[in-house]
Amino acid sequence: AGFESPAEYAAVLAATRSAAQAVDPGVQVMISLAGLELGSSSYALTYFDLLLAAGAAMDAVSYHVYPDTYDFSTLESLLTAMQARAAGRPIWITETCVPSATAPGFTDPASQAAQARWLAKSWAFHVAAGVSRLFWNGISDMSSVLPPSFFTYGGLVTFAPPPQKKASWYTYQLLAAKLSGATSAAVESTGRYRFTVANGTRYVLWGAGTADLSLVFGATTVLVTHIVEDPSLPPATESAPANAVPLGDSPIIVESW
């Protein structure tokens, strides 16, 4: 729905929340914001500020993430700004994707491998930083008969028959297998995210140089699993010295050997 002003949106939120919670006091009312739209978040943050100034009543916050490059830093700064305004309320990212091929509005050279890397980075960072839910916008690419858009190649599966699972599909599957059900997660630094799962600790890492995890795992060797960048190949695994785990731009998952 469109609103003439943030004040009008705030009034509708208040009436909706009051009516819903009169029926069920446990109902949670979430606001939805544009978030990061092709590289710019200024509109969303300004609108959020105006909503808060108008006294908007909300129980949770959602926003979208559609960057114009694979640059990761915009995700960090936007979430920090949203969390400051949400003031402890749960945050959901209800739409996000990046393309795997050249698309309008996206400035970086695009590929399946780059899409998979960005997906893994975004998922690990947002979950570790406390985002409650994260939804990828579109399992499948869009039909080539439609006008090209940012979303044409944003899916995890190609559209052209027969549909083919992309590298991002298998990377998403790997993250779910390794990290779903984590009882806690934390951002230790950019490119270093710790997850506690039923059978121990796992890290998602990327960056330059090496990482020393010897004290974390209390061992000399750890198991490294690489994300999928070639959909024709399974996730590669290898052992690595716990005190010098090799890092690169492509995220890895590290666990006890």
Side-chain angles (χ1 to χ4, degrees):
F3 299 98
E4 292 295 327
S5 67
E8 182 182 2
Y9 187 11
V12 171
L13 277 171
T16 301
R17 186 170 181 265
S18 177
Q21 293 184 347
V23 176
D24 181 352
V27 166
Q28 302 287 291
V29 174
M30 174 183 290
I31 66 164
S32 179
L33 299 163
L36 186 65
E37 296 293 330
L38 298 183
S40 175
S41 60
S42 59
Y43 174 78
L45 295 175
T46 299
Y47 197 87
F48 199 175
D49 288 338
L50 292 171
L51 276 178
L52 293 172
M58 69 198 81
D59 303 295
V61 175
S62 75
Y63 67 95
H64 303 166
V65 174
Y66 294 120
D68 60 353
T69 74
Y70 293 125
D71 178 26
F72 180 74
S73 62
T74 54
L75 305 187
E76 296 177 303
S77 58
L78 177 58
L79 180 58
T80 297
M82 286 292 186
Q83 287 176 325
R85 290 163 172 78
R89 298 178 183 92
I91 291 179
W92 290 26
I93 295 176
T94 47
E95 292 185 24
T96 187
C97 74
V98 290
S100 62
T102 301
F106 197 77
T107 61
D108 277 350
S111 67
Q112 284 203 29
Q115 184 193 45
R117 287 194 295 269
W118 190 91
L119 183 153
K121 291 178 181 180
S122 175
W123 192 98
F125 162 67
H126 283 117
V127 172
V131 170
S132 299
R133 297 286 188 276
L134 181 66
F135 298 90
W136 192 265
N137 183 14
I139 292 178
S140 173
D141 287 347
M142 296 173 65
S143 170
S144 59
V145 303
L146 297 173
S149 77
F150 178 87
F151 306 101
T152 301
Y153 303 106
L156 306 179
V157 178
T158 64
F159 181 86
Q164 300 291 323
K165 295 174 181 176
K166 298 185 192 178
S168 54
W169 170 284
Y170 294 107
T171 291
Y172 209 125
Q173 192 176 53
L174 175 66
L175 292 170
K178 292 287 188 181
L179 303 174
S180 286
T183 56
S184 66
V187 177
E188 295 192 351
S189 61
T190 297
R192 183 174 170 130
Y193 309 96
R194 180 172 180 159
F195 297 83
T196 302
V197 295
N199 56 348
T201 297
R202 289 176 179 163
Y203 274 83
V204 176
L205 304 174
W206 70 85
T210 62
D212 185 353
L213 298 177
S214 56
L215 294 179
V216 174
F217 291 106
T220 58
T221 303
V222 292
L223 174 63
V224 173
T225 303
H226 296 264
I227 67 164
V228 177
E229 295 194 5
D230 182 341
S232 68
L233 300 174
T237 60
E238 63 189 355
S239 63
N243 65 347
V245 180
L247 302 178
D249 185 55
S250 185
I252 57 175
I253 299 172
V254 183
E255 59 192 294
S256 294
W257 179 253

mmCIF file of all heavy atoms in Angstrom, residues 151-195:
data_model
loop_
_atom_site.group_PDB
_atom_site.id
_atom_site.type_symbol
_atom_site.label_atom_id
_atom_site.label_comp_id
_atom_site.label_asym_id
_atom_site.label_seq_id
_atom_site.Cartn_x
_atom_site.Cartn_y
_atom_site.Cartn_z
ATOM 1 N N PHE A 151 16.380 -8.556 -11.266
ATOM 2 C CA PHE A 151 15.989 -9.868 -10.748
ATOM 3 C C PHE A 151 16.065 -10.990 -11.791
ATOM 4 O O PHE A 151 15.820 -12.145 -11.454
ATOM 5 C CB PHE A 151 14.564 -9.797 -10.195
ATOM 6 C CG PHE A 151 14.382 -8.714 -9.177
ATOM 7 C CD1 PHE A 151 13.781 -7.513 -9.522
ATOM 8 C CD2 PHE A 151 14.829 -8.876 -7.876
ATOM 9 C CE1 PHE A 151 13.636 -6.501 -8.590
ATOM 10 C CE2 PHE A 151 14.688 -7.875 -6.936
ATOM 11 C CZ PHE A 151 14.084 -6.675 -7.288
ATOM 12 N N THR A 152 16.395 -10.652 -13.025
ATOM 13 C CA THR A 152 16.375 -11.654 -14.088
ATOM 14 C C THR A 152 17.239 -12.866 -13.749
ATOM 15 O O THR A 152 16.853 -14.013 -14.002
ATOM 16 C CB THR A 152 16.844 -11.035 -15.419
ATOM 17 O OG1 THR A 152 15.973 -9.946 -15.759
ATOM 18 C CG2 THR A 152 16.814 -12.067 -16.536
ATOM 19 N N TYR A 153 18.420 -12.618 -13.172
ATOM 20 C CA TYR A 153 19.338 -13.716 -12.850
ATOM 21 C C TYR A 153 19.601 -13.821 -11.347
ATOM 22 O O TYR A 153 20.662 -14.255 -10.929
ATOM 23 C CB TYR A 153 20.659 -13.520 -13.605
ATOM 24 C CG TYR A 153 20.477 -13.433 -15.104
ATOM 25 C CD1 TYR A 153 20.600 -12.214 -15.766
ATOM 26 C CD2 TYR A 153 20.143 -14.564 -15.845
ATOM 27 C CE1 TYR A 153 20.406 -12.127 -17.136
ATOM 28 C CE2 TYR A 153 19.946 -14.488 -17.212
ATOM 29 C CZ TYR A 153 20.076 -13.266 -17.854
ATOM 30 O OH TYR A 153 19.881 -13.190 -19.207
ATOM 31 N N GLY A 154 18.608 -13.429 -10.545
ATOM 32 C CA GLY A 154 18.797 -13.437 -9.099
ATOM 33 C C GLY A 154 18.444 -14.735 -8.410
ATOM 34 O O GLY A 154 18.628 -14.867 -7.195
ATOM 35 N N GLY A 155 17.925 -15.716 -9.143
ATOM 36 C CA GLY A 155 17.490 -16.962 -8.517
ATOM 37 C C GLY A 155 18.630 -17.908 -8.190
ATOM 38 O O GLY A 155 19.796 -17.671 -8.537
ATOM 39 N N LEU A 156 18.268 -19.002 -7.544
ATOM 40 C CA LEU A 156 19.226 -20.059 -7.214
ATOM 41 C C LEU A 156 19.216 -21.166 -8.267
ATOM 42 O O LEU A 156 20.058 -22.060 -8.232
ATOM 43 C CB LEU A 156 18.892 -20.663 -5.845
ATOM 44 C CG LEU A 156 18.780 -19.695 -4.670
ATOM 45 C CD1 LEU A 156 18.414 -20.443 -3.392
ATOM 46 C CD2 LEU A 156 20.052 -18.899 -4.485
ATOM 47 N N VAL A 157 18.264 -21.071 -9.190
ATOM 48 C CA VAL A 157 18.097 -22.054 -10.262
ATOM 49 C C VAL A 157 17.898 -21.286 -11.568
ATOM 50 O O VAL A 157 17.226 -20.249 -11.582
ATOM 51 C CB VAL A 157 16.873 -22.961 -9.998
ATOM 52 C CG1 VAL A 157 16.662 -23.952 -11.131
ATOM 53 C CG2 VAL A 157 17.027 -23.692 -8.671
ATOM 54 N N THR A 158 18.467 -21.771 -12.670
ATOM 55 C CA THR A 158 18.266 -21.108 -13.956
ATOM 56 C C THR A 158 16.831 -21.309 -14.432
ATOM 57 O O THR A 158 16.155 -22.259 -14.041
ATOM 58 C CB THR A 158 19.235 -21.650 -15.017
ATOM 59 O OG1 THR A 158 18.942 -23.040 -15.251
ATOM 60 C CG2 THR A 158 20.684 -21.498 -14.580
ATOM 61 N N PHE A 159 16.373 -20.422 -15.313
ATOM 62 C CA PHE A 159 15.014 -20.543 -15.834
ATOM 63 C C PHE A 159 14.969 -21.395 -17.097
ATOM 64 O O PHE A 159 14.067 -22.215 -17.280
ATOM 65 C CB PHE A 159 14.439 -19.154 -16.140
ATOM 66 C CG PHE A 159 13.027 -19.199 -16.668
ATOM 67 C CD1 PHE A 159 11.954 -19.230 -15.799
ATOM 68 C CD2 PHE A 159 12.779 -19.238 -18.040
ATOM 69 C CE1 PHE A 159 10.651 -19.293 -16.278
ATOM 70 C CE2 PHE A 159 11.486 -19.299 -18.526
ATOM 71 C CZ PHE A 159 10.419 -19.327 -17.648
ATOM 72 N N ALA A 160 15.932 -21.185 -17.984
ATOM 73 C CA ALA A 160 15.892 -21.837 -19.301
ATOM 74 C C ALA A 160 15.773 -23.349 -19.153
ATOM 75 O O ALA A 160 16.542 -23.975 -18.427
ATOM 76 C CB ALA A 160 17.145 -21.492 -20.090
ATOM 77 N N PRO A 161 14.804 -23.957 -19.831
ATOM 78 C CA PRO A 161 14.620 -25.403 -19.705
ATOM 79 C C PRO A 161 15.793 -26.167 -20.318
ATOM 80 O O PRO A 161 16.311 -25.770 -21.369
ATOM 81 C CB PRO A 161 13.318 -25.654 -20.472
ATOM 82 C CG PRO A 161 13.167 -24.497 -21.386
ATOM 83 C CD PRO A 161 13.813 -23.332 -20.720
ATOM 84 N N PRO A 162 16.222 -27.256 -19.655
ATOM 85 C CA PRO A 162 15.743 -27.647 -18.330
ATOM 86 C C PRO A 162 16.402 -26.798 -17.243
ATOM 87 O O PRO A 162 17.576 -26.436 -17.377
ATOM 88 C CB PRO A 162 16.193 -29.106 -18.217
ATOM 89 C CG PRO A 162 17.451 -29.152 -19.022
ATOM 90 C CD PRO A 162 17.229 -28.199 -20.178
ATOM 91 N N PRO A 163 15.672 -26.451 -16.168
ATOM 92 C CA PRO A 163 16.275 -25.659 -15.096
ATOM 93 C C PRO A 163 17.498 -26.361 -14.508
ATOM 94 O O PRO A 163 17.497 -27.582 -14.345
ATOM 95 C CB PRO A 163 15.144 -25.556 -14.070
ATOM 96 C CG PRO A 163 13.896 -25.824 -14.838
ATOM 97 C CD PRO A 163 14.272 -26.803 -15.897
ATOM 98 N N GLN A 164 18.511 -25.566 -14.195
ATOM 99 C CA GLN A 164 19.739 -26.095 -13.612
ATOM 100 C C GLN A 164 20.018 -25.408 -12.277
ATOM 101 O O GLN A 164 19.928 -24.175 -12.183
ATOM 102 C CB GLN A 164 20.922 -25.871 -14.559
ATOM 103 C CG GLN A 164 20.775 -26.523 -15.928
ATOM 104 C CD GLN A 164 20.848 -28.033 -15.859
ATOM 105 O OE1 GLN A 164 21.615 -28.599 -15.081
ATOM 106 N NE2 GLN A 164 20.042 -28.707 -16.680
ATOM 107 N N LYS A 165 20.342 -26.196 -11.270
ATOM 108 C CA LYS A 165 20.711 -25.612 -9.976
ATOM 109 C C LYS A 165 22.057 -24.906 -10.104
ATOM 110 O O LYS A 165 23.005 -25.453 -10.647
ATOM 111 C CB LYS A 165 20.783 -26.705 -8.908
ATOM 112 C CG LYS A 165 19.438 -27.367 -8.631
ATOM 113 C CD LYS A 165 19.577 -28.542 -7.678
ATOM 114 C CE LYS A 165 18.231 -29.213 -7.436
ATOM 115 N NZ LYS A 165 18.348 -30.419 -6.577
ATOM 116 N N LYS A 166 22.116 -23.687 -9.597
ATOM 117 C CA LYS A 166 23.335 -22.891 -9.673
ATOM 118 C C LYS A 166 24.277 -23.211 -8.509
ATOM 119 O O LYS A 166 23.905 -23.914 -7.541
ATOM 120 C CB LYS A 166 22.996 -21.401 -9.635
ATOM 121 C CG LYS A 166 22.150 -20.871 -10.759
ATOM 122 C CD LYS A 166 22.041 -19.357 -10.572
ATOM 123 C CE LYS A 166 21.001 -18.732 -11.440
ATOM 124 N NZ LYS A 166 20.898 -17.279 -11.180
ATOM 125 N N ALA A 167 25.465 -22.620 -8.582
ATOM 126 C CA ALA A 167 26.417 -22.741 -7.464
ATOM 127 C C ALA A 167 25.803 -22.211 -6.181
ATOM 128 O O ALA A 167 26.033 -22.756 -5.089
ATOM 129 C CB ALA A 167 27.700 -21.979 -7.799
ATOM 130 N N SER A 168 25.002 -21.140 -6.273
ATOM 131 C CA SER A 168 24.380 -20.560 -5.081
ATOM 132 C C SER A 168 23.391 -21.518 -4.430
ATOM 133 O O SER A 168 23.220 -21.520 -3.208
ATOM 134 C CB SER A 168 23.684 -19.248 -5.447
ATOM 135 O OG SER A 168 22.777 -19.435 -6.513
ATOM 136 N N TRP A 169 22.705 -22.331 -5.241
ATOM 137 C CA TRP A 169 21.792 -23.338 -4.684
ATOM 138 C C TRP A 169 22.560 -24.294 -3.784
ATOM 139 O O TRP A 169 22.159 -24.564 -2.646
ATOM 140 C CB TRP A 169 21.106 -24.111 -5.807
ATOM 141 C CG TRP A 169 20.340 -25.327 -5.351
ATOM 142 C CD1 TRP A 169 20.859 -26.543 -4.980
ATOM 143 C CD2 TRP A 169 18.922 -25.445 -5.186
ATOM 144 N NE1 TRP A 169 19.858 -27.415 -4.615
ATOM 145 C CE2 TRP A 169 18.657 -26.771 -4.721
ATOM 146 C CE3 TRP A 169 17.854 -24.578 -5.405
ATOM 147 C CZ2 TRP A 169 17.364 -27.218 -4.472
ATOM 148 C CZ3 TRP A 169 16.570 -25.037 -5.148
ATOM 149 C CH2 TRP A 169 16.339 -26.329 -4.688
ATOM 150 N N TYR A 170 23.665 -24.816 -4.284
ATOM 151 C CA TYR A 170 24.442 -25.790 -3.519
ATOM 152 C C TYR A 170 25.140 -25.144 -2.332
ATOM 153 O O TYR A 170 25.316 -25.781 -1.280
ATOM 154 C CB TYR A 170 25.455 -26.475 -4.439
ATOM 155 C CG TYR A 170 24.795 -27.331 -5.495
ATOM 156 C CD1 TYR A 170 24.754 -26.919 -6.826
ATOM 157 C CD2 TYR A 170 24.176 -28.536 -5.164
ATOM 158 C CE1 TYR A 170 24.128 -27.692 -7.798
ATOM 159 C CE2 TYR A 170 23.550 -29.318 -6.128
ATOM 160 C CZ TYR A 170 23.528 -28.887 -7.439
ATOM 161 O OH TYR A 170 22.900 -29.656 -8.397
ATOM 162 N N THR A 171 25.516 -23.892 -2.464
ATOM 163 C CA THR A 171 26.110 -23.183 -1.333
ATOM 164 C C THR A 171 25.082 -22.969 -0.237
ATOM 165 O O THR A 171 25.374 -23.159 0.952
ATOM 166 C CB THR A 171 26.702 -21.841 -1.795
ATOM 167 O OG1 THR A 171 27.850 -22.102 -2.615
ATOM 168 C CG2 THR A 171 27.127 -20.982 -0.623
ATOM 169 N N TYR A 172 23.864 -22.578 -0.609
ATOM 170 C CA TYR A 172 22.787 -22.417 0.370
ATOM 171 C C TYR A 172 22.527 -23.751 1.078
ATOM 172 O O TYR A 172 22.360 -23.813 2.307
ATOM 173 C CB TYR A 172 21.529 -21.937 -0.338
ATOM 174 C CG TYR A 172 20.595 -21.095 0.500
ATOM 175 C CD1 TYR A 172 20.204 -19.842 0.070
ATOM 176 C CD2 TYR A 172 20.084 -21.554 1.714
ATOM 177 C CE1 TYR A 172 19.333 -19.055 0.814
ATOM 178 C CE2 TYR A 172 19.226 -20.784 2.460
ATOM 179 C CZ TYR A 172 18.854 -19.532 2.016
ATOM 180 O OH TYR A 172 18.000 -18.770 2.768
ATOM 181 N N GLN A 173 22.504 -24.813 0.306
ATOM 182 C CA GLN A 173 22.288 -26.156 0.862
ATOM 183 C C GLN A 173 23.396 -26.518 1.851
ATOM 184 O O GLN A 173 23.140 -27.097 2.917
ATOM 185 C CB GLN A 173 22.238 -27.153 -0.295
ATOM 186 C CG GLN A 173 21.737 -28.540 0.055
ATOM 187 C CD GLN A 173 21.629 -29.405 -1.188
ATOM 188 O OE1 GLN A 173 22.575 -29.548 -1.958
ATOM 189 N NE2 GLN A 173 20.456 -29.978 -1.399
ATOM 190 N N LEU A 174 24.629 -26.167 1.514
ATOM 191 C CA LEU A 174 25.767 -26.443 2.393
ATOM 192 C C LEU A 174 25.657 -25.672 3.705
ATOM 193 O O LEU A 174 25.871 -26.231 4.789
ATOM 194 C CB LEU A 174 27.065 -26.071 1.674
ATOM 195 C CG LEU A 174 28.357 -26.185 2.496
ATOM 196 C CD1 LEU A 174 28.638 -27.641 2.851
ATOM 197 C CD2 LEU A 174 29.522 -25.573 1.724
ATOM 198 N N LEU A 175 25.312 -24.391 3.620
ATOM 199 C CA LEU A 175 25.150 -23.589 4.832
ATOM 200 C C LEU A 175 24.071 -24.171 5.740
ATOM 201 O O LEU A 175 24.235 -24.238 6.963
ATOM 202 C CB LEU A 175 24.800 -22.149 4.455
ATOM 203 C CG LEU A 175 25.886 -21.332 3.767
ATOM 204 C CD1 LEU A 175 25.310 -20.030 3.230
ATOM 205 C CD2 LEU A 175 27.042 -21.045 4.717
ATOM 206 N N ALA A 176 22.962 -24.593 5.138
ATOM 207 C CA ALA A 176 21.880 -25.177 5.927
ATOM 208 C C ALA A 176 22.338 -26.458 6.616
ATOM 209 O O ALA A 176 22.038 -26.694 7.787
ATOM 210 C CB ALA A 176 20.673 -25.442 5.041
ATOM 211 N N ALA A 177 23.073 -27.290 5.888
ATOM 212 C CA ALA A 177 23.526 -28.560 6.456
ATOM 213 C C ALA A 177 24.519 -28.352 7.592
ATOM 214 O O ALA A 177 24.498 -29.080 8.588
ATOM 215 C CB ALA A 177 24.155 -29.418 5.362
ATOM 216 N N LYS A 178 25.374 -27.365 7.458
ATOM 217 C CA LYS A 178 26.443 -27.155 8.436
ATOM 218 C C LYS A 178 26.026 -26.291 9.625
ATOM 219 O O LYS A 178 26.530 -26.487 10.739
ATOM 220 C CB LYS A 178 27.656 -26.506 7.760
ATOM 221 C CG LYS A 178 28.394 -27.388 6.765
ATOM 222 C CD LYS A 178 29.202 -28.466 7.469
ATOM 223 C CE LYS A 178 30.090 -29.222 6.495
ATOM 224 N NZ LYS A 178 30.873 -30.299 7.187
ATOM 225 N N LEU A 179 25.094 -25.344 9.406
ATOM 226 C CA LEU A 179 24.868 -24.326 10.429
ATOM 227 C C LEU A 179 23.437 -24.217 10.929
ATOM 228 O O LEU A 179 23.190 -23.521 11.918
ATOM 229 C CB LEU A 179 25.315 -22.965 9.891
ATOM 230 C CG LEU A 179 26.781 -22.900 9.432
ATOM 231 C CD1 LEU A 179 27.066 -21.554 8.783
ATOM 232 C CD2 LEU A 179 27.732 -23.160 10.583
ATOM 233 N N SER A 180 22.482 -24.871 10.277
ATOM 234 C CA SER A 180 21.103 -24.805 10.759
ATOM 235 C C SER A 180 21.009 -25.364 12.175
ATOM 236 O O SER A 180 21.689 -26.324 12.534
ATOM 237 C CB SER A 180 20.167 -25.590 9.837
ATOM 238 O OG SER A 180 19.955 -24.899 8.640
ATOM 239 N N GLY A 181 20.145 -24.761 12.966
ATOM 240 C CA GLY A 181 19.971 -25.212 14.341
ATOM 241 C C GLY A 181 21.010 -24.689 15.298
ATOM 242 O O GLY A 181 21.075 -25.133 16.453
ATOM 243 N N ALA A 182 21.819 -23.738 14.851
ATOM 244 C CA ALA A 182 22.831 -23.168 15.749
ATOM 245 C C ALA A 182 22.148 -22.566 16.974
ATOM 246 O O ALA A 182 21.143 -21.860 16.866
ATOM 247 C CB ALA A 182 23.641 -22.112 15.020
ATOM 248 N N THR A 183 22.700 -22.854 18.140
ATOM 249 C CA THR A 183 22.127 -22.333 19.376
ATOM 250 C C THR A 183 22.641 -20.944 19.709
ATOM 251 O O THR A 183 22.046 -20.229 20.510
ATOM 252 C CB THR A 183 22.425 -23.278 20.544
ATOM 253 O OG1 THR A 183 23.851 -23.490 20.639
ATOM 254 C CG2 THR A 183 21.742 -24.633 20.328
ATOM 255 N N SER A 184 23.757 -20.561 19.099
ATOM 256 C CA SER A 184 24.264 -19.202 19.251
ATOM 257 C C SER A 184 25.171 -18.887 18.080
ATOM 258 O O SER A 184 25.681 -19.787 17.408
ATOM 259 C CB SER A 184 25.041 -19.038 20.569
ATOM 260 O OG SER A 184 26.218 -19.816 20.570
ATOM 261 N N ALA A 185 25.344 -17.595 17.832
ATOM 262 C CA ALA A 185 26.213 -17.156 16.746
ATOM 263 C C ALA A 185 26.750 -15.783 17.118
ATOM 264 O O ALA A 185 26.102 -15.017 17.837
ATOM 265 C CB ALA A 185 25.453 -17.092 15.424
ATOM 266 N N ALA A 186 27.944 -15.466 16.618
ATOM 267 C CA ALA A 186 28.555 -14.193 16.978
ATOM 268 C C ALA A 186 29.469 -13.700 15.867
ATOM 269 O O ALA A 186 30.102 -14.494 15.166
ATOM 270 C CB ALA A 186 29.354 -14.326 18.277
ATOM 271 N N VAL A 187 29.508 -12.379 15.728
ATOM 272 C CA VAL A 187 30.461 -11.737 14.828
ATOM 273 C C VAL A 187 31.726 -11.458 15.633
ATOM 274 O O VAL A 187 31.693 -10.671 16.585
ATOM 275 C CB VAL A 187 29.904 -10.413 14.266
ATOM 276 C CG1 VAL A 187 30.947 -9.726 13.385
ATOM 277 C CG2 VAL A 187 28.619 -10.649 13.499
ATOM 278 N N GLU A 188 32.825 -12.100 15.290
ATOM 279 C CA GLU A 188 34.087 -11.832 15.978
ATOM 280 C C GLU A 188 34.837 -10.707 15.280
ATOM 281 O O GLU A 188 35.539 -9.930 15.932
ATOM 282 C CB GLU A 188 34.926 -13.094 16.060
ATOM 283 C CG GLU A 188 34.262 -14.164 16.931
ATOM 284 C CD GLU A 188 35.185 -15.322 17.267
ATOM 285 O OE1 GLU A 188 36.292 -15.405 16.693
ATOM 286 O OE2 GLU A 188 34.792 -16.153 18.108
ATOM 287 N N SER A 189 34.711 -10.612 13.984
ATOM 288 C CA SER A 189 35.252 -9.512 13.181
ATOM 289 C C SER A 189 34.720 -9.702 11.769
ATOM 290 O O SER A 189 34.107 -10.735 11.458
ATOM 291 C CB SER A 189 36.786 -9.516 13.193
ATOM 292 O OG SER A 189 37.291 -10.722 12.644
ATOM 293 N N THR A 190 34.950 -8.725 10.908
ATOM 294 C CA THR A 190 34.515 -8.877 9.523
ATOM 295 C C THR A 190 35.203 -10.090 8.896
ATOM 296 O O THR A 190 36.422 -10.216 8.944
ATOM 297 C CB THR A 190 34.855 -7.629 8.702
ATOM 298 O OG1 THR A 190 34.138 -6.511 9.244
ATOM 299 C CG2 THR A 190 34.470 -7.804 7.243
ATOM 300 N N GLY A 191 34.400 -11.002 8.379
ATOM 301 C CA GLY A 191 34.947 -12.212 7.777
ATOM 302 C C GLY A 191 35.231 -13.323 8.767
ATOM 303 O O GLY A 191 35.806 -14.351 8.382
ATOM 304 N N ARG A 192 34.800 -13.180 10.005
ATOM 305 C CA ARG A 192 35.036 -14.220 11.028
ATOM 306 C C ARG A 192 33.771 -14.340 11.879
ATOM 307 O O ARG A 192 33.490 -13.485 12.715
ATOM 308 C CB ARG A 192 36.251 -13.872 11.879
ATOM 309 C CG ARG A 192 36.598 -14.936 12.923
ATOM 310 C CD ARG A 192 37.900 -14.587 13.615
ATOM 311 N NE ARG A 192 38.152 -15.436 14.762
ATOM 312 C CZ ARG A 192 39.297 -16.073 14.993
ATOM 313 N NH1 ARG A 192 40.299 -15.960 14.134
ATOM 314 N NH2 ARG A 192 39.462 -16.815 16.064
ATOM 315 N N TYR A 193 33.025 -15.433 11.676
ATOM 316 C CA TYR A 193 31.721 -15.620 12.314
ATOM 317 C C TYR A 193 31.660 -16.988 12.967
ATOM 318 O O TYR A 193 31.925 -18.011 12.319
ATOM 319 C CB TYR A 193 30.598 -15.462 11.276
ATOM 320 C CG TYR A 193 30.770 -14.170 10.512
ATOM 321 C CD1 TYR A 193 31.419 -14.156 9.279
ATOM 322 C CD2 TYR A 193 30.348 -12.969 11.050
ATOM 323 C CE1 TYR A 193 31.623 -12.969 8.601
ATOM 324 C CE2 TYR A 193 30.549 -11.770 10.380
ATOM 325 C CZ TYR A 193 31.187 -11.772 9.161
ATOM 326 O OH TYR A 193 31.407 -10.607 8.495
ATOM 327 N N ARG A 194 31.303 -16.983 14.245
ATOM 328 C CA ARG A 194 31.315 -18.218 15.045
ATOM 329 C C ARG A 194 29.890 -18.703 15.281
ATOM 330 O O ARG A 194 29.013 -17.923 15.667
ATOM 331 C CB ARG A 194 32.009 -17.964 16.382
ATOM 332 C CG ARG A 194 32.073 -19.176 17.297
ATOM 333 C CD ARG A 194 32.943 -18.884 18.505
ATOM 334 N NE ARG A 194 33.041 -20.024 19.404
ATOM 335 C CZ ARG A 194 34.016 -20.187 20.302
ATOM 336 N NH1 ARG A 194 34.962 -19.268 20.401
ATOM 337 N NH2 ARG A 194 34.038 -21.244 21.080
ATOM 338 N N PHE A 195 29.673 -20.012 15.068
ATOM 339 C CA PHE A 195 28.371 -20.636 15.269
ATOM 340 C C PHE A 195 28.522 -21.833 16.207
ATOM 341 O O PHE A 195 29.428 -22.648 16.036
ATOM 342 C CB PHE A 195 27.780 -21.111 13.936
ATOM 343 C CG PHE A 195 27.516 -19.996 12.962
ATOM 344 C CD1 PHE A 195 28.536 -19.503 12.159
ATOM 345 C CD2 PHE A 195 26.256 -19.429 12.858
ATOM 346 C CE1 PHE A 195 28.303 -18.472 11.266
ATOM 347 C CE2 PHE A 195 26.012 -18.403 11.962
ATOM 348 C CZ PHE A 195 27.037 -17.911 11.174
#
